[in-house]
């Protein structure tokens, strides 16, 4: 799996958009970008994933650059409940390691009142 | 909304004892996984399971670990002889299929404490 680089921490004012960056410069053409988050010691929560196109769901938007070397997760209106560690994960399409999610250290997002 | 459930939420055991952690995956999912997270560390993949066979396992998943689908709803992780270093949160996950675009949904976890 390609490695990802995320800032260790970020702050965001409540009600503002939170933009979480991720660098995955060695990503392969068929590898997916996933975002999960973990609140305290709860189980990781799936947020969104994408391959090439930008994606949006009820939780967030995922913007993937044209060269696919980086992406941004956008939480449009952050609330205090969005305070969590956010993980950007690149998942292999096939072969060894394709079944697993490889978690890094993620970005600790703190939403401030 | 369907979700993955895990029992117990907290398990305390003595070193050398066997433990079984239980999970009920989402009902129409076919792939099942176990991950663990030692306090303060990353979430680590242990094993994936499909059609009553292990499809992939990590180096952590040694002979002390085993998984089983004993019936149509449960998925279990057994640790035969627990060690102090097995103390961690254990998360079960499931997905519809095992393809890269099939998201995995995680349970709330079981906190295992080995004394």
């Amino acid at each position: 799996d390609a490695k990802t680089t995320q800032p260790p921490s970020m702050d965001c004012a409540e009600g503002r958009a939170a933009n979480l960056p991720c660098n995955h410069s060695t990503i392969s053409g068929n590898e997916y970008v996933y975002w999960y988050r973990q609140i305290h010691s709860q189980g990781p929560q799936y947020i969104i994933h994408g391959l090439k196109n930008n994606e949006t769901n009820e939780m967030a938007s995922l913007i993937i650059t044209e060269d696919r070397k980086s992406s941004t997760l956008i939480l449009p209106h952050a609330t205090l409940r969005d305070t969590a560690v956010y993980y950007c994960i690149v998942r292999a399409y096939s072969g060894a390691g394709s079944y697993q999610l490889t978690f890094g250290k993620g970005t600790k997002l703190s939403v401030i009142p | 909304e369907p979700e993955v459930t895990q029992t117990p939420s907290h398990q305390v055991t003595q070193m050398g004892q066997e433990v079984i952690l239980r999970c009920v995956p989402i009902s129409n999912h076919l792939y099942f996984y176990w991950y663990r997270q030692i306090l303060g560390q990353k979430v680590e993949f242990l094993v994936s399971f499909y059609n009553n066979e292990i499809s992939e396992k990590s180096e952590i998943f040694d002979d002390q670990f085993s998984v089983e689908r004993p019936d149509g709803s449960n998925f279990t992780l057994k640790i035969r002889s627990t060690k102090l270093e097995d103390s961690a949160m254990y998360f079960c996950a499931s997905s519809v299929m095992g393809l890269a675009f099939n998201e995995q949904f995680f349970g709330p976890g079981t906190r295992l404490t080995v004394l």
Side-chain angles (χ1 to χ4, degrees):
Chain A
D1 286 343
K3 292 184 178 179
T4 61
T5 304
Q6 300 179 252
S9 63
M10 291 182 63
D11 292 338
C12 178
E14 187 178 17
R16 297 282 193 172
N19 295 274
L20 293 94
C22 179
N23 183 287
H24 32 79
S25 58
T26 59
I27 193 170
S28 298
N30 59 2
E31 290 180 321
Y32 281 76
V33 178
Y34 274 81
W35 283 84
Y36 278 79
R37 72 181 183 183
Q38 189 174 28
I39 299 172
H40 299 302
S41 294
Q42 297 177 23
Q45 180 187 21
Y46 167 78
I47 301 174
I48 199 167
H49 72 283
L51 181 62
K52 296 180 182 178
N53 300 321
N54 298 336
E55 302 288 344
T56 295
N57 62 20
E58 64 278 5
M59 287 185 68
S61 295
L62 173 60
I63 309 297
I64 302 174
T65 58
E66 194 169 341
D67 63 9
R68 301 186 74 238
K69 292 184 177 183
S70 65
S71 60
T72 301
L73 178 74
I74 301 173
L75 307 178
H77 305 287
T79 70
L80 298 179
R81 287 178 296 181
D82 292 322
T83 292
V85 178
Y86 286 77
Y87 301 99
C88 171
I89 299 168
V90 170
R91 185 175 173 191
Y93 184 80
S94 62
S98 62
Y99 291 103
Q100 60 185 275
L101 296 169
T102 302
F103 289 80
K105 295 182 179 179
T107 295
K108 175 76 170 76
L109 175 69
S110 299
V111 180
I112 302 168
Chain B
E1 185 174 322
E3 57 185 22
V4 176
T5 60
Q6 293 185 241
T7 55
S9 57
H10 191 186
Q11 174 91 45
V12 181
T13 189
Q14 296 291 324
M15 188 171 55
Q17 294 296 305
E18 174 184 286
V19 294
I20 298 176
L21 310 182
R22 302 180 192 280
C23 167
V24 178
I26 295 172
S27 62
N28 64 332
H29 287 188
L30 299 179
Y31 277 78
F32 315 119
Y33 313 84
W34 284 101
Y35 291 77
R36 79 171 186 189
Q37 186 176 31
I38 295 171
L39 185 64
Q41 298 188 22
K42 301 175 188 178
V43 177
E44 302 173 290
F45 170 79
L46 294 178
V47 66
S48 62
F49 188 85
Y50 168 71
N51 198 26
N52 285 319
E53 290 185 353
I54 290 174
S55 46
E56 191 167 66
K57 62 181 181 179
S58 71
E59 293 179 353
I60 303 168
F61 194 86
D62 60 22
D63 292 344
Q64 290 298 312
F65 292 89
S66 62
V67 288
E68 188 180 26
R69 178 100 159 135
D71 54 44
S73 59
N74 290 283
F75 178 53
T76 63
L77 174 70
K78 181 193 291 186
I79 308 175
R80 289 189 180 79
S81 178
T82 51
K83 307 170 191 172
L84 295 176
E85 53 264 38
D86 293 327
S87 294
M89 283 290 290
Y90 288 81
F91 298 109
C92 174
S94 69
S95 61
V96 172
M97 292 293 290
L99 300 173
F101 53 82
N102 295 132
E103 55 269 36
Q104 297 178 15
F105 295 95
F106 285 75
T110 292
R111 180 176 299 282
L112 177 64
T113 301
V114 182
L115 303 176

